[in-house]
């Protein structure tokens, strides 16, 4: 009896795999395009692409909290900024080499994320949002005021790019490929995370936290681990950020920086893997192009926020998917 | 009942203790005069924070909406006030305050009615919209009034310090404290003694029930949002002679107000009052004693409260 | 069948105040292993509040809750689940975006070490899927295993509620109004399902539908204004004068 049901029902739902051949081909083409990008575009676009990759790692990490955990953080820039400050400070002033400075930055930031998580996860919902915002503003204030360490409003400069395996990363193409590798690793690991048993539990705590507790899941611990994990990937983005700019300023810790990340997640589609990447492309391009013509990035950012939330609350990726489904469904 | 009274007393004691410790420490290393000035600075900042946090907390308590434009409304109020006083010779600060408060309240009403209302089922969306609005308002202020701080003149009759026991007390700061206390009492009376207040309290306690008994919840939301926005705008003008109007004022004030609300408890007027003065003291004395680490010191009361009482000192609802 | 010395569930002098209002007053209940206990009482009698204290969603103001002799009064809800406690909700609490199989799988995952695994996709746990389908078969829903919860009817959702709890093979199962909002046919369905629960599972059920629920129960506890009014064998409770008073009033 059970054998029969097993054979008929265990096969994975067919809908998911219907287009898998086409899908793999598309992903392969996209991969080749990404790798080959520096071969056919100028420095400006290569640098733009590097910035997008960095922003995308940041948005993906924030998406773990916002999209998969249902925990809307408005202070995620804390981890990007902190990691960048750690790396810059220990390299330029603390006398560490690149490898040690990077390790200190990742480890230190992750520990701070653990501590922030302890505080912020005393609440959920809007309370969590307010506490993360307040915590990040405190860090921002420290970066501004504690000038003897952070150099205040002047920021920390003098950072250089590392030379992994002796490869010089100072050229735009080399740095782009370096970022692409890191992005690839982050993307895959975060994708695995969201699909894993733990990731399923995390989504459960987003949708029905009480039920999850009744089923035996430690909701608090699941959220805290995710917070720390997201903090770690935020730190990875911060490391790339400071390598790219060779400089770090308190604005990287500001509410604007956190908001840009959150906008990328929401605009692209929270709780999807592609969403934050698409959102990052949108935000970074807007920021670069708009600031070339108008000096009003903040106002534009605000307007984009309003437009997205009011007219496309589900985000670009799910919105387009829905339209695509309707289109292909209608064709049949 | 008993425990809430105990907590009230404890919190007030904490404020007094923080104040007294800071005062005596500063008096011992600097001078009593310096300590007096810092104490009054603390109280004045506390008063301004109360005006900001009370509106934020009221809006949050009633509408479950974290209004992140609140800092920007404070700044906008300061700019409008400064502008009124600059444009019309002889207009007093109090008139400018009133005018600015009304203008900012109207703006808040428009924001609530035409934008936030449409997103009432999407609380994250609402927060993001208020955040977006705060960016827009801040940038608009930068476009209109430029990057340089605009001073707001102190009313002439409050310029000379009051002299008592051989010490000088800055009069305007005293006036700010008095005004904040008057506003606190007025808000308390509004909430506890009027029909409007009764409706607000009913809404804060149980929105579904409030709707069921026929309270016009939609009008109430607009009214409370306008009230909160108006107070923030007026507070911006009131703070003008101390802080002036400058770009970034919003980003300086909003986190302080957030910390006040987290500390005092969402939806609690009294919590906002106690929290404001605690933060007023901690921030002012922190800046005076350890200017580098004033922001780190802000952490401490917040972490203590969140660790032991996540709903805040006087909060009834979890945020 | 021997009666065990330690009750499956023991509640001693439980008190719960909300603000100043008592929701549970001096409640003491003993449920033996394998027992079928029905908790009845008018609306607002504090039945669900009692469940929420047993599961740990609310902490009681005072009193003790024991599971198989172990004091769990201060234990977190998820730890109680690992001691063999499961529940269903009066208001359907399912994972709406996910498939039925995924819902049941979460019920299975909650008690397994695998719930901490961050590397292996949940979809690759074939044994868990097999078991989830089997459990869905118990409630006759295996044909809908890969449909999202939003696609199924209210009565089917009620069955998933119970299946999710049963998947955990609980030692103590709390059913909060499993018949609420169902048609007569669906009720008969659920009744059969509850009756088929093995005796290893102790069942405590809140229900308003006496006709159906009394058949399932061996013992009954009547709550009124948070107090235990009558408690004992089913027929004795039904016959009790106080039961009639509560339900018919004076």
């Amino acid at each position: 009896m059970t054998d029969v049901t097993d054979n008929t029902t265990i096969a994975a739902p067919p809908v998911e795999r219907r287009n898998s051949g086409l899908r793999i081909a598309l992903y392969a083409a996209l991969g080749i395009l990404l790798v080959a990008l520096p071969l056919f575009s100028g420095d400006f676009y290569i640098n733009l692409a590097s910035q997008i990759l960095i922003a995308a790692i940041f948005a993906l990490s924030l998406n773990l909290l916002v999209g998969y955990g249902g925990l809307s953080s408005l202070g995620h820039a804390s981890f990007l900024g902190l990691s960048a400050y750690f790396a810059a400070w220990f390299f330029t002033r603390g006398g560490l080499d690149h490898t040690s400075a990077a390790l200190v930055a990742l480890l230190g930031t992750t520990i701070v994320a653990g501590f922030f998580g302890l505080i912020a996860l005393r609440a959920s919902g809007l309370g969590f949002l307010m506490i993360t915002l307040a915590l990040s503003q405190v860090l921002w204030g420290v970066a501004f005021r504690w000038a003897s360490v952070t150099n205040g409003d002047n920021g920390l400069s003098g950072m250089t790019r590392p030379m992994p395996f002796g490869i010089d990363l100072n050229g735009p193409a080399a740095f782009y490929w370096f970022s692409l590798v890191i992005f690839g690793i982050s993307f895959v690991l975060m994708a695995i995370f969201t699909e894993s048993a733990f990731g399923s539990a995390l989504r459960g705590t987003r949708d029905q936290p009480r039920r999850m507790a009744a089923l035996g899941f430690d909701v608090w611990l699941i959220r805290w681990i995710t917070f720390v994990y997201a903090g770690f990937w935020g730190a990875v983005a911060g490391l790339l950020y400071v390598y790219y700019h060779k400089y770090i300023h308190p604005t990287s810790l500001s509410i604007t920086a956190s908001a840009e990340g959150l906008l990328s997640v929401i605009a692209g589609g929270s709780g999807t893997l592609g969403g934050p990447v698409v959102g990052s492309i949108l935000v970074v391009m807007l920021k670069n192009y708009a600031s070339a013509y108008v000096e009003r990035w903040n106002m534009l950012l605000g307007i984009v926020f309003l437009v997205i939330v009011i007219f496309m609350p589900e985000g670009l990726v799910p919105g387009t998917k829905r339209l695509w489904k309707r289109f292909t469904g209608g064709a049949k | 009942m008993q425990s809430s009274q105990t907590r009230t007393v404890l919190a007030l004691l904490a404020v007094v203790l923080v104040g007294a410790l800071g005062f005596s420490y500063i008096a011992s290393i600097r001078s009593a005069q310096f300590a007096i000035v810092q104490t009054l600075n603390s109280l004045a900042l506390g008063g301004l924070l109360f005006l900001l946090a009370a509106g934020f907390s009221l809006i949050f308590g009633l509408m479950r909406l974290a209004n992140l434009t609140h800092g920007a409304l404070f700044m906008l109020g300061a700019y409008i006030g400064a502008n009124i006083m600059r444009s019309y010779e002889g207009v007093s600060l109090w008139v400018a305050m009133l005018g600015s408060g009304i203008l900012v309240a109207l703006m808040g009403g428009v924001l609530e009615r035409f934008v936030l209302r449409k997103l009432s089922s999407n609380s994250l969306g609402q927060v993001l919209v208020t955040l977006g609005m705060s960016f827009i308002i801040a940038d608009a202020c930068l476009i209109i009034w430029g990057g340089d701080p605009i001073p707001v003149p102190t009313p002439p009759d409050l310029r000379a310090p009051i002299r008592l026991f051989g010490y000088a007390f800055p009069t305007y700061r005293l006036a700010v404290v008095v005004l904040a206390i008057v506003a606190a009492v007025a808000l308390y009376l509004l909430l506890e003694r009027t029909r409007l207040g009764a409706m607000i309290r009913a809404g804060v306690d149980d929105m579904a029930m409030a709707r069921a008994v026929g309270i016009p919840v939609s009008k109430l939301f607009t009214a409370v949002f306008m009230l909160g926005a108006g107070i923030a705008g007026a507070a911006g003008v009131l703070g003008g002679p101390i802080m002036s109007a400058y770009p970034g004022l919003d980003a300086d004030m909003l986190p302080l107000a957030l910390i006040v609300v987290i500390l005092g408890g969402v939806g609690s007027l009294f919590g906002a009052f106690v929290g404001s003065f605690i933060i007023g003291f901690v921030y002012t004395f922190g800046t005076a004693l350890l200017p580098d680490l004033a922001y780190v010191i802000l952490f401490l009361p917040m972490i203590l409260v969140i660790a032991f009482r996540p709903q805040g000192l006087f909060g009834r609802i979890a945020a | 069948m021997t009666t065990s010395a330690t009750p499956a569930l023991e509640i001693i002098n439980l008190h719960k105040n909300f603000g100043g209002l008592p929701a549970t007053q001096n409640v003491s209940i003993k449920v033996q292993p394998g027992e079928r206990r029905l908790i009845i009482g008018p609306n607002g009698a504090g039945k669900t509040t009692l469940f929420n204290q047993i599961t740990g969603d609310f902490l009681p103001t005072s009193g003790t809750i024991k599971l198989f002799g172990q004091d769990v009064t201060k234990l977190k809800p998820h730890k109680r689940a690992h001691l063999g406690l499961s529940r269903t909700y009066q208001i359907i609490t399912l994972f709406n975006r996910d498939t039925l199989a995924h819902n049941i799988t979460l019920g299975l995952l909650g008690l397994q070490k695998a719930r901490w695994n961050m590397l292996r996709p949940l979809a690759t746990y074939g044994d868990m899927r097999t078991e989830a389908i089997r459990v869905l078969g118990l409630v006759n829903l295996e044909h809908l295993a890969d449909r999202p919860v939003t696609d199924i009817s209210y009565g089917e959702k009620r069955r998933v509620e119970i299946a999710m709890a049963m998947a955990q093979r609980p030692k103590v199962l709390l059913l909060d109004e499993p018949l609420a909002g169902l048609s007569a046919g669906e009720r008969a369905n659920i009744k059969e399902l509850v009756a088929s629960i093995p005796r290893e599972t102790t069942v405590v059920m809140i229900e308003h539908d006496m006709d159906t629920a009394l058949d399932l129960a061996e013992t009954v506890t009547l709550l009124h204004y948070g107090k235990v009014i009558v408690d004992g064998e089913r027929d004795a409770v039904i016959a009790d004068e106080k039961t009639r008073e509560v339900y018919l009033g004076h």
Side-chain angles (χ1 to χ4, degrees):
Chain A
M1 169 66 196
T2 41
D3 284 343
V4 177
T5 38
D6 285 355
N7 290 337
T8 49
T9 52
I10 284 181
V15 198
E16 292 289 320
R17 300 230 169 138
R18 199 196 304 153
N19 295 325
S20 66
L22 179 67
R23 203 177 265 202
I24 288 169
L26 268 176
Y27 283 144
L30 186 66
I32 292 168
L33 191 73
L34 279 177
V35 173
L37 184 111
L39 304 177
F40 55 81
S41 54
D43 285 359
F44 175 80
Y45 290 101
I46 300 174
N47 280 331
L48 192 64
S50 298
Q51 288 182 46
I52 289 174
L53 291 174
I54 297 166
I57 297 174
F58 179 65
L60 280 166
S61 72
L62 177 58
N63 186 37
L64 296 178
L65 288 172
V66 178
Y68 292 94
L71 297 164
S72 303
S73 164
L74 250 181
H76 204 58
S78 299
F79 309 123
L80 183 144
L82 203 57
S83 157
Y85 263 105
F86 272 140
W89 193 90
F90 279 101
F91 181 75
T92 62
R93 301 194 173 185
L96 293 186
D97 61 12
H98 265 301
T99 315
S100 317
L103 286 176
V104 168
L106 293 179
L107 190 71
T109 307
T110 310
I111 291 171
V112 172
F115 179 63
F116 276 20
L118 284 181
I119 304 169
L121 287 169
R122 296 284 289 180
S124 59
L126 290 177
F128 176 82
L129 184 136
M130 280 162 56
I131 297 174
T132 50
L133 174 56
L135 287 172
S136 81
Q137 288 290 92
V138 169
L139 278 190
W140 170 79
V142 170
F144 249 115
R145 297 284 186 82
W146 200 6
S148 56
V149 172
T150 64
N151 209 20
D153 197 15
N154 296 319
L156 280 179
S157 50
M159 188 64 186
T160 62
R161 289 178 185 174
M163 293 185 52
F165 311 109
I167 303 164
D168 183 5
L169 295 182
N170 278 311
F175 191 80
Y176 167 79
W177 278 316
F178 176 68
S179 306
L180 188 63
V181 170
I182 305 288
F183 169 81
I185 296 171
S186 328
F187 184 87
V188 168
L189 282 174
M190 282 191 257
I192 290 174
F193 178 87
T194 58
E195 286 301 311
S196 70
F198 184 89
S200 302
L202 176 66
R203 278 188 291 126
T205 64
R206 171 194 67 193
D207 296 336
Q208 299 287 7
R210 255 184 87 195
R211 164 69 91 175
M212 288 300 279
L215 290 176
F217 293 93
D218 188 340
V219 174
W220 187 89
L221 192 56
I222 289 172
R223 287 177 171 164
W224 185 78
I225 289 171
T226 307
F227 193 91
V228 177
Y229 193 67
F232 170 79
W233 287 113
V236 170
L239 214 47
L240 281 179
Y241 183 91
V242 76
Y243 290 155
Y244 176 83
H245 292 282
K246 303 172 186 166
Y247 171 71
I248 182 72
H249 182 267
T251 44
S252 299
L253 287 160
S254 68
I255 180 171
T256 312
S258 289
E260 281 169 20
L262 193 55
L263 180 63
S264 303
V265 173
I266 307 275
S270 65
T272 64
L273 279 168
V277 181
V278 172
S280 301
I281 296 173
L282 183 80
V283 171
V284 173
M285 300 250 269
L286 262 181
K287 194 173 178 175
N288 273 272
Y289 283 106
S291 52
Y293 298 103
V294 282
E295 257 175 65
R296 305 263 78 94
W297 168 236
N298 272 343
M299 176 160 298
L300 190 68
L301 182 68
I303 292 171
V304 175
F305 251 109
L306 256 63
V307 169
I308 294 282
V309 172
I310 295 171
F311 298 106
M312 211 184 231
E314 58 189 330
L316 288 169
V317 168
T320 318
K321 256 189 193 167
R322 185 166 47 85
L323 290 178
W324 175 254
K325 254 183 199 162
R326 193 190 293 168
F327 173 72
T328 51
K332 275 208 159 169
Chain B
M1 218 47 218
Q2 174 112 44
S3 71
S4 86
Q5 274 175 358
T6 319
R7 263 187 284 123
T8 310
V9 172
L10 279 176
L12 287 175
L13 273 178
V15 175
V16 173
L17 197 72
V18 170
L21 276 177
F23 182 89
S24 41
Y25 183 69
I26 292 208
S28 72
I29 57 163
R30 294 283 189 74
S31 68
Q33 179 60 59
F34 184 75
I36 288 172
V37 171
Q38 290 303 333
T39 302
L40 276 173
N41 280 345
S42 305
L43 289 171
L45 179 62
L48 291 171
L49 282 176
F50 167 73
L51 294 176
L52 199 56
F56 182 96
S57 185
L58 211 56
I59 291 171
F60 193 112
L62 184 70
M63 304 166 68
R64 297 292 183 274
L65 166 72
N67 178 28
L68 300 183
T69 44
H70 229 69
L73 294 175
F74 181 91
M75 177 170 78
L76 182 64
Y79 272 117
I80 293 177
N83 206 37
I84 293 175
M85 291 176 76
R86 220 168 38 172
S87 314
Y88 304 97
E89 198 74 27
V91 168
S92 80
L93 183 87
W94 316 116
V95 176
M97 231 175 102
L98 190 71
S100 179
I102 291 172
L103 277 175
V104 175
L106 287 174
M107 280 203 50
V110 170
L111 174 64
E112 199 279 330
R113 264 256 108 98
F114 297 106
V115 186
L116 296 175
R117 179 62 51 90
K118 303 223 179 331
L119 298 164
S120 55
S121 59
N122 174 1
S123 79
L124 177 61
Q126 284 186 325
V127 180
L128 297 181
V129 163
T130 62
L131 182 65
M133 280 304 298
S134 80
F135 290 154
I136 295 174
I137 292 173
D139 225 19
C141 286
L142 192 61
I143 296 172
I144 299 171
W145 287 290
D148 296 324
I150 300 179
V152 176
T154 309
D157 35 345
L158 297 177
R159 274 178 205 157
I162 296 172
R163 298 204 165 270
L164 264 182
F165 312 114
Y167 296 111
F169 293 84
T171 313
Y172 187 72
R173 280 157 176 78
L174 276 173
V176 169
V177 180
V178 171
L179 251 161
I181 292 173
V182 169
V185 172
L187 274 173
Y188 173 81
L189 292 177
L190 172 80
L191 281 176
E192 299 293 327
R193 298 287 157 80
T194 66
R195 232 180 94 73
L196 178 69
M199 291 195 286
I200 294 173
R201 276 183 291 127
V204 170
D205 282 345
D206 189 340
M207 181 56 69
M209 187 58 86
R211 256 182 234 281
V213 298
I215 290 174
V217 167
S218 143
K219 281 191 190 137
L220 197 62
F221 276 15
T222 313
V224 166
F225 201 90
M226 287 179 72
L227 179 69
I231 298 174
V237 187
L238 185 65
I242 302 174
M243 313 183 191
S244 70
Y246 62 91
L249 178 60
D250 56 335
D252 283 342
M253 290 304 279
L254 180 68
L256 294 181
L258 280 179
I259 294 176
V260 165
V261 173
I262 293 168
L263 208 62
V266 162
S268 159
L269 195 65
F270 190 68
F273 191 78
V274 173
S276 297
F277 286 103
I278 293 179
I279 294 302
F281 271 102
V282 170
Y283 187 69
T284 307
F285 280 102
T287 312
L289 296 173
L290 290 166
D292 282 354
L293 296 177
Y295 267 89
V296 182
I297 299 169
L298 272 181
F299 252 133
L300 299 175
M302 187 172 117
I303 290 170
L304 278 178
V305 167
I306 291 172
F308 295 105
R309 244 187 103 72
Q311 71 273 47
L313 291 173
F314 301 96
R316 276 169 303 170
I317 42 170
Chain C
M1 280 213 135
T2 52
T3 41
S4 166
T6 45
L9 173 67
E10 188 176 10
I11 296 166
I12 308 158
N13 292 333
L14 205 66
H15 266 284
K16 174 75 192 173
N17 287 331
F18 283 116
L21 297 168
T24 306
Q25 301 187 57
N26 205 25
V27 167
S28 294
I29 296 174
K30 250 187 218 181
V31 184
Q32 296 302 330
E35 195 176 317
R36 267 66 182 133
R37 170 73 57 113
L38 175 65
I39 295 180
I40 57 173
N43 280 327
K47 303 184 296 284
T48 298
T49 304
L50 180 64
F51 266 23
N52 284 333
Q53 292 172 79
I54 298 173
T55 57
D57 285 2
F58 300 160
L59 285 180
T61 310
S62 67
T64 309
I65 300 167
K66 287 181 178 178
L67 271 179
F68 298 99
Q70 182 183 346
D71 186 345
V72 298
T73 315
K74 298 233 163 93
L75 220 53
K76 289 266 163 56
H78 67 270
K79 297 219 162 128
R80 301 186 199 203
H82 287 270
L83 292 175
L85 183 70
S86 275
R87 74 170 296 179
T88 69
Y89 292 87
Q90 178 192 349
I91 298 161
I92 287 174
T93 308
L94 298 172
F95 303 93
N96 285 325
R97 311 188 205 187
D98 297 309
T99 63
L100 269 57
H102 187 91
N103 271 264
I104 306 298
T105 306
L106 282 177
L108 298 167
L109 187 64
L111 301 181
Q112 294 184 21
K113 280 265 179 294
R115 69 185 185 282
W116 298 115
N117 193 321
M118 294 180 196
L119 297 173
R120 185 170 162 193
L122 185 64
T124 63
Y125 288 88
D127 48 341
M128 251 193 264
R129 182 170 166 88
T130 314
E131 175 65 8
I133 304 290
R134 187 191 69 80
V135 173
L136 280 172
L138 296 177
V139 297
N140 293 322
L141 288 174
E142 70 266 54
H143 59 291
L144 296 174
D146 291 313
R147 298 278 285 278
V149 171
T150 42
D151 278 9
I152 65 174
S153 73
Y154 181 81
E156 287 163 340
K157 285 181 193 170
R158 277 260 164 252
R159 281 190 267 162
V160 179
E161 269 279 334
I162 299 175
M164 199 189 280
M166 281 171 67
Q168 301 201 300
R169 299 178 194 267
K171 290 189 206 145
V172 175
L173 174 60
L174 308 178
L175 298 172
D176 195 348
E177 296 199 30
L179 303 169
L182 295 182
S183 69
E186 288 167 332
R187 263 178 286 170
N189 227 317
I190 299 281
K191 182 181 172 185
E192 206 177 307
L193 177 63
V194 174
S196 74
I197 295 172
R199 280 282 159 175
E200 291 85 68
T201 301
T202 308
V203 179
V204 182
M205 175 165 65
I206 295 172
E207 192 43 70
H208 279 295
D209 176 2
M210 297 296 170
D211 293 339
T212 315
L214 283 176
D215 287 346
L216 294 167
E218 294 156 350
T219 49
V220 177
T221 301
L222 170 64
L223 285 182
H224 192 36
Y225 292 122
K227 284 186 198 145
V228 175
I229 304 294
V230 198
D231 182 65
E233 296 295 318
R234 176 183 60 190
D235 296 340
V237 173
I238 297 170
D240 199 294
E241 189 64 19
K242 283 176 272 181
T243 309
R244 285 192 41 220
E245 265 175 42
V246 167
Y247 274 94
L248 300 176
H250 258 304

